[in-house]
Amino acid sequence: MQHKGKSSKASGASGARRAVLLLFLIIVMLIIILLLFPRAEKKPEPVEEKALAPAAVPPEKAVEWSYICLVIDDAGYNMTNLIELLKLPPAFTVSVLPGLPMSREAAREATKAGKEVILHCPMEALSGEDPGPGAILSTYPAEEIDTILSSNFSFVPGAAGTNNHMGSKVTPDQRVMAEVMLYLKNHNKFFLDSKTTADSVARQEALKLGVPYLARDIFLDNDPQKEAVKQQFLKGMEIAGSQGSAVLIGHAQNPAVTEVLAELYPLLAARSIKMITLNKLLFLKGIIANDDSGD
């Protein structure tokens, strides 16, 4: 009986070993199958390509322009240098003296060339120097001032306004300037102060009546030599760049003004500067409601 029990136990142990061995063999076979025949990767489905929208181009930044107004004083003596100036393309203003041999022709030719024209009104100077025909003196009564202004403007048909020729004695005179501004107000004209004296009251009197007013920033040719004129023009460009605009005054008889303008005008756009008329500048500043300059 004991021998039979031992045999039964040995037989059970042998069966267990066979079962473990069989399980081990099955696992090995599975591993081999997996290694020899790897599962095929699922091929990704084709994705329909969508047309890509072009990259947005940022809008160009608007150019912030500055402005130069060039005024050519003392037109009317002759046409010699003025004709050459009028051939140049930029917009500028020709200021014509009244009562001179070529006053009306200068105004006509400037208008024909598409330039703005104004009256260069003679006014009394502290030095006692003769301002020329059509001068307004500090002793004149209101009626005479009106008569002189009407006569002076008749020499410059289409004049949009006026600036003073000399006038260091008259522009500080409140009574006379009040009468000048009243005339300009009644005839829809503007006033450009040539600033021949720091004591001018033209601005105050213009503001009282609502007369459009501008003031000169630079005299180009107090020194008439070309290099000096060029340096003054460059200074005017700097002022325009810093304060938005600048008014420059040169003289019709000085050929250096023509030469410098021809040389420097093509460079202005690179500095974001445009040359415009006084009337245009008044419009851009919001001082007048309409721009009739045509440029």
Side-chain angles (χ1 to χ4, degrees):
M1 290 297 291
Q2 288 179 349
H3 178 76
K4 185 176 181 180
K6 289 180 182 179
S7 176
S8 176
K9 287 180 182 180
S11 177
S14 176
R17 286 196 295 271
R18 284 197 300 270
V20 170
L21 179 61
L22 180 61
L23 180 60
F24 174 76
L25 290 173
I26 291 170
I27 292 171
V28 169
M29 290 299 293
L30 287 173
I31 292 172
I32 292 171
I33 291 170
L34 289 174
L35 290 173
L36 293 176
F37 304 101
R39 187 177 60 176
E41 292 185 4
K42 186 177 180 182
K43 188 176 181 180
E45 295 181 4
V47 178
E48 182 182 353
E49 293 186 2
K50 295 182 180 180
L52 296 176
V57 178
E60 291 186 9
K61 185 178 179 181
V63 176
E64 294 183 4
W65 292 98
S66 300
Y67 303 99
I68 281 179
C69 293
L70 173 61
V71 181
I72 303 299
D73 273 0
D74 291 358
Y77 286 108
N78 56 61
M79 297 296 294
T80 305
N81 191 56
L82 182 61
I83 288 295
E84 296 306 310
L85 264 169
L86 295 178
K87 291 177 182 177
L88 299 178
F92 57 82
T93 301
V94 178
S95 188
V96 183
L97 286 163
L100 297 180
M102 307 300 286
S103 295
R104 289 190 173 91
E105 183 175 352
R108 281 195 301 268
E109 290 301 315
T111 301
K112 190 186 299 183
K115 311 306 182 187
E116 180 182 57
V117 294
I118 63 173
L119 167 68
H120 195 30
C121 187
M123 295 183 180
E124 186 177 6
L126 286 170
S127 65
E129 183 180 353
D130 181 11
I136 294 175
L137 305 183
S138 58
T139 55
Y140 286 170
E143 297 79 7
E144 190 163 3
I145 292 171
D146 284 3
T147 299
I148 290 172
L149 284 169
S150 293
S151 174
N152 287 351
F153 272 107
S154 72
F155 283 93
V156 193
T162 186
N163 70 326
N164 52 295
H165 173 62
M166 301 186 186
S168 56
K169 187 171 184 178
V170 165
T171 55
D173 190 310
Q174 186 273 333
R175 180 192 69 84
V176 177
M177 292 312 296
E179 189 58 39
V180 169
M181 295 304 168
L182 181 59
Y183 179 93
L184 298 177
K185 174 71 172 179
N186 291 338
H187 292 82
N188 196 30
K189 311 288 187 186
F190 64 74
F191 186 80
L192 168 65
D193 195 344
S194 300
K195 298 293 283 186
T196 55
T197 173
D199 297 325
S200 172
V201 296
R203 182 176 182 273
Q204 296 92 301
E205 296 308 312
L207 289 175
K208 286 179 185 177
L209 292 175
V211 174
Y213 171 91
L214 292 168
R216 183 267 311 164
D217 293 292
I218 293 286
F219 273 127
L220 287 178
D221 52 355
N222 281 339
D223 181 341
Q225 300 303 310
K226 181 180 176 180
E227 188 56 34
V229 174
K230 183 175 181 178
Q231 291 306 312
Q232 287 295 92
F233 198 102
L234 291 171
K235 183 178 178 181
M237 290 169 63
E238 291 176 4
I239 292 173
S242 63
Q243 68 183 26
S245 64
V247 178
L248 285 52
I249 293 181
H251 292 85
Q253 282 70 48
N254 188 356
V257 172
T258 307
E259 293 168 11
V260 168
L261 180 57
E263 181 180 335
L264 295 184
Y265 175 64
L267 308 180
L268 295 180
R271 297 198 186 184
S272 301
I273 298 174
K274 288 182 180 179
M275 284 187 63
I276 60 174
T277 62
L278 296 169
N279 204 69
K280 185 79 168 182
L281 181 59
L282 287 165
F283 173 73
L284 292 174
K285 285 176 172 284
I287 298 172
I288 61 174
N290 297 297
D291 169 31
D292 299 321
S293 65
D295 57 79

